[in-house]
Structure formats: structure tokens, C-alpha cells
């Protein structure tokens, strides 16, 4: 049954460097009034390393058509290609700052794909895929990364602090974690 499948998934351990937690196919949130979350926090997953749906996760797997899946994959590949060029440019001293999205492409593309086009996004570093998903072009992001005369922020942002009012993408900020209160403000303003 589902409980047995969840137990099998929990017996497996993550292979991330620095993290050794069990997997779970149970989508669960912990609330402070219910007590502390388990330590370490289990890693929720829908598919295994071979792309197969893990037992017990079937109810959580979204139904996506092939066209959307192909667009998501193409966007993830575009992130990787952009990263190669601009990471090299940063290493050569051509731009002052760049962080790749390596290994996190699916997170930003999948999150952006789940939103409506009129939803605001408040991204952080390593979320280039969300901007590309929303239609920002290589040229748009390159203009902002280099702070050239076509940069809508007129060079007043660090490289990789891209954004687009037209696409409802709030500019990335260096201060980590500020997206939470900003998102609450955006929500109240909608």
C-alpha cells in the first residue's frame, strides 16, 4: 500500500553533499504549534534518479502536456548555455559578478511554469530560468548583466540583478531573504 511505499522511500537517503536525510513522498508542512519538525528534514520527491514516479507520489505528479514539458526542458538548457558564457565572462573580469544556476535549473523553471502570467515573481540568485520562462531574452539579461546603455536599470544594479516590470519580475536583490516580506507587500497590493 501507500504506507509501505512511503516506508521504502524513507529508507533511501539523499546523496547531496552535506545532507543526509530520508526521502518522503508525503507532502506535509510542519507548524510550530504541532511541535518541531524532524531533524534532518525529509526530502520530498516525486521521481527517483531514473525519472520513475516513486511509490506513493502518484497523486502529487502534475499532469503536463508534452509541449509544456519540452518548453521547460528547452528553458533549462538555455539557462545552462547562458551560464557557461557569463560565468566565463566573470572569470575573465569582463563583468564583476555572476552566479550560475547549475543544478537548480528545474527549481526556477518549474516554479515559474506553475504561476500565472499575471503573478509577480520575486526571484533570488540562481533563478535565471524563471526570467527566461517569462520571456526575457538572452539580450535582455545580457544588457542588465553588463550594465550597458540598453540596460533598463541604467547600470544601477549589480550584474545578475535582472528584473522586468512588463513581465512582472521584481529585480533580484543582494539582501538574501527579503523576498518574503516584499512578496507579502505585493500580495496585499494586488
Amino acid at each position: 500500500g501507500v504506507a509501505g511505499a512511503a516506508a521504502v522511500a524513507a529508507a533511501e537517503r539523499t546523496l547531496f553533499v552535506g545532507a543526509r536525510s530520508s526521502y518522503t513522498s508525503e507532502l506535509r508542512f510542519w507548524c510550530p504549534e504541532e511541535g518541531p519538525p524532524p531533524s534532518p528534514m525529509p526530502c520530498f520527491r516525486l521521481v527517483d534518479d531514473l525519472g520513475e514516479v516513486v511509490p506513493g507520489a502518484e497523486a502529487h505528479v502534475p499532469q503536463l502536456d508534452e509541449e509544456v514539458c519540452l518548453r521547460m526542458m528547452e528553458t533549462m538548457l538555455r539557462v545552462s548555455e547562458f551560464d557557461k558564457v557569463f560565468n566565463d565572462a566573470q572569470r575573465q573580469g569582463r563583468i564583476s559578478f555572476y552566479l550560475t544556476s547549475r543544478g537548480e535549473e528545474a527549481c526556477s523553471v518549474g516554479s515559474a511554469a506553475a504561476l500565472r502570467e499575471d503573478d509577480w515573481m520575486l526571484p533570488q540568485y540562481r533563478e535565471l530560468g524563471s526570467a527566461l520562462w517569462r520571456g526575457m531574452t538572452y539580450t535582455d539579461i545580457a544588457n542588465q548583466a553588463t550594465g550597458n546603455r540598453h540596460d533598463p536599470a541604467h547600470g544601477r544594479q549589480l550584474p545578475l540583478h535582472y528584473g522586468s516590470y512588463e513581465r512582472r519580475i521584481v529585480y533580484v536583490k543582494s539582501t538574501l531573504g527579503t523576498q518574503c516580506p516584499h512578496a507579502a507587500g505585493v500580495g496585499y497590493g494586488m
Side-chain angles (χ1 to χ4, degrees):
V2 173
V8 169
E12 295 182 65
R13 312 284 292 170
T14 61
L15 300 175
F16 304 120
V17 174
R20 295 289 177 255
S21 65
S22 59
Y23 288 114
T24 182
S25 59
E26 176 189 7
L27 184 58
R28 174 151 191 254
F29 296 92
W30 280 271
C31 300
E33 57 272 5
E34 295 174 7
S39 180
M41 183 75 79
C43 180
F44 177 71
R45 73 174 179 171
L46 299 177
V47 295
D48 63 19
D49 293 339
L50 301 175
E52 300 296 324
V53 175
V54 297
E58 296 86 356
H60 302 297
V61 176
Q63 299 302 310
L64 302 172
D65 62 42
E66 185 175 346
E67 182 179 328
V68 170
C69 292
L70 289 172
R71 181 175 170 219
M72 291 171 80
M73 180 59 76
E74 177 187 307
T75 304
M76 288 185 278
L77 292 170
R78 291 179 64 222
V79 170
S80 180
E81 291 304 309
F82 190 90
D83 278 351
K84 289 175 189 175
V85 172
F86 276 80
N87 192 52
D88 284 351
Q90 190 272 330
R91 298 289 186 254
Q92 295 166 2
R94 295 171 188 242
I95 60 173
S96 62
F97 181 74
Y98 195 81
L99 298 170
T100 69
S101 300
R102 190 173 323 144
E104 300 182 27
E105 299 91 344
C107 297
S108 64
V109 172
S111 296
L115 297 173
R116 296 185 323 246
E117 288 296 316
D118 63 341
D119 285 333
W120 280 91
M121 292 192 309
L122 291 92
Q124 186 46 280
Y125 299 130
R126 305 182 195 283
E127 296 184 21
L128 177 61
S130 62
L132 293 174
W133 181 263
R134 277 286 176 92
M136 288 188 77
T137 65
Y138 280 175
T139 302
D140 294 334
I141 297 165
N143 288 338
Q144 292 186 28
T146 58
N148 68 24
R149 66 188 175 104
H150 301 292
D151 173 11
H154 309 291
R156 292 185 291 239
Q157 296 281 354
L158 281 170
L160 204 62
H161 284 198
Y162 52 82
S164 170
Y165 181 81
E166 298 78 21
R167 293 177 181 90
R168 295 181 175 253
I169 303 170
V170 175
Y171 279 85
V172 172
K173 299 295 175 208
S174 292
T175 47
L176 301 175
T178 60
Q179 295 80 356
C180 294
H182 294 163
V186 168
Y188 278 120
M190 292 176 72

